[in-house]
Amino acid sequence: MRTIQFREAVAEAMSEEMRRDETIYLMGEEVAEYNGAYKASKGMLDEFGPDRVLDTPISELGFAGVGVGSAMGGNRPIIEFMTFNFSLVGIDQIINNAAKMRQMSGGQFNIPIVFRGPTASAGQLAATHSQAFESWFANCPGLKVIVPSNPYDAKGLLKSAIRDNDPVIFMESEQMYGDKGEVPEDEYTLPIGVADIKREGKDVTVVSFGKIIKEAYKAADALEKEGISCEVIDLRTVRPLDQETILKSVKKTNRLVILEEAWPFGNVSTEITYLVQSQAFDFLDAPIIKINTADTPAPYSPVLLAEWLPNHEDVIKAVKKVLYQ
């Protein structure tokens, strides 16, 4: 199987779907002439032309609204935010229009739209450019939220997102665009709402998603050398959440650690904690531990940023704590 970069997987998914369906188009800042801020739309302007790959002004509220309106008119837009930090400027269109229009119109209007772009921290970008909003969007009924962690998942899930008849938030990472992975040349899609057990284990379940899951893999490798077997689950989709896979794993390992790059109050790991204690409490042999960023805006200093972000050492400590070691 060939190996390609994450950005290439994203571009392939969009291009393949645009060849299949002429109602699909890509719109956002620098997606056309510049081939995308992270080169995730490289070559698409040349193939599809300026009517289907559209550069916009720096006006997220404006082009998010144009996307929602055109979806109501029968198109299937892909709206790229240069980062999801900038989606806050257009969040009214996402929350109050895209997510609610189907219900408010009595089912007369579906909104088949994908909002995509990078999420969370990406090095020294400081507080206003280093935020993870997965739980914000997942809190809103009417939205699906996908956060892939590798090129294979990104391509298969993005194709499914584009084909979905409801609005989808598709969150990537600036620090993953250069990641390489095996991706089939043949056509494939992945189902939305299905987690993936990336590593089988028997002693403890570690749940994560997005780029921070790499720290879980590092921890699992180190712990294996000490005879501790971690089952690592990649959620892939935050909403809908694959409750069955999580509960089945916890009932096997009897312990749970959740790793998420987000502030600690009211996030995805909080929801998973409630799920497990309400539906699998009798299977738990230790309290659940969730690992998040520090409860502050992201610092600019690289020393402080390293302390702010969760890492594999935090996962190792948490796993040993739930194992009473």
Side-chain angles (χ1 to χ4, degrees), residues 76-325:
R76 307 182 74 89
I78 304 167
I79 305 299
E80 177 178 318
F81 295 119
M82 196 176 291
T83 89
F84 264 94
N85 299 281
F86 303 157
S87 75
L88 298 189
V89 182
I91 200 168
D92 177 59
Q93 290 293 338
I94 301 171
I95 300 297
N96 280 328
N97 289 329
K100 297 178 173 66
M101 191 59 66
R102 183 174 181 180
Q103 183 192 37
M104 292 178 67
S105 69
Q108 294 179 81
F109 291 104
N110 288 342
I111 309 294
I113 188 170
V114 175
F115 297 97
R116 53 158 294 269
T119 183
S121 65
Q124 287 180 266
L125 298 182
T128 60
H129 289 66
S130 304
Q131 303 167 108
F133 295 123
E134 292 89 343
S135 61
W136 285 34
F137 290 111
N139 182 256
C140 180
L143 298 177
K144 297 174 182 177
V145 182
I146 299 172
V147 195
S149 66
N150 59 77
Y152 174 82
D153 288 352
K155 182 176 180 180
L157 286 165
L158 182 52
K159 287 170 71 71
S160 294
I162 294 168
R163 296 181 188 186
D164 200 284
N165 286 324
D166 292 308
V168 179
I169 308 296
F170 195 91
M171 307 177 101
E172 302 153 11
S173 169
E174 293 171 55
Q175 293 184 322
M176 290 197 303
Y177 284 118
D179 288 1
K180 294 182 178 180
E182 292 186 340
V183 177
E185 293 188 49
D186 296 335
E187 166 75 14
Y188 76 98
T189 60
L190 294 174
I192 296 173
V194 178
D196 188 25
I197 299 175
K198 299 295 189 185
R199 183 180 184 130
E200 298 275 355
K202 60 182 178 61
D203 294 326
V204 59
T205 298
V206 180
V207 174
S208 189
F209 60 91
K211 79 174 191 292
I212 202 70
I213 199 172
K214 296 177 185 179
E215 299 301 316
Y217 297 150
K218 292 178 188 176
D221 287 341
L223 289 163
E224 186 177 36
K225 296 175 183 177
E226 300 182 36
I228 298 172
S229 172
C230 296
E231 180 147 294
V232 181
I233 298 176
D234 185 347
L235 290 180
R236 303 196 295 194
T237 303
V238 169
R239 182 160 185 166
L241 183 68
D242 187 352
Q243 299 183 6
E244 182 180 351
T245 295
I246 297 168
L247 292 170
K248 184 177 180 180
S249 178
V250 170
K251 289 176 181 179
K252 177 177 71 172
T253 67
N254 309 117
R255 295 170 173 85
L256 175 61
V257 171
I258 311 163
L259 172 64
E260 177 188 7
E261 185 181 346
W263 294 309
F265 187 89
N267 51 34
V268 176
S269 51
T270 304
E271 181 66 22
I272 294 171
T273 300
Y274 175 78
L275 165 73
V276 173
Q277 69 83 28
S278 65
Q279 298 192 35
F281 179 81
D282 291 340
F283 291 88
L284 288 172
D285 288 341
I288 298 165
I289 294 179
K290 66 188 192 79
I291 306 168
N292 300 113
T293 67
D295 197 15
T296 69
Y300 176 76
S301 159
V303 175
L304 293 177
L305 184 64
E307 289 296 314
W308 182 82
L309 268 174
N311 60 46
H312 68 283
E313 293 291 343
D314 297 321
V315 179
I316 291 171
K317 291 176 185 176
V319 166
K320 290 186 175 181
K321 186 171 183 178
V322 297
L323 288 168
Y324 301 107
Q325 293 187 9

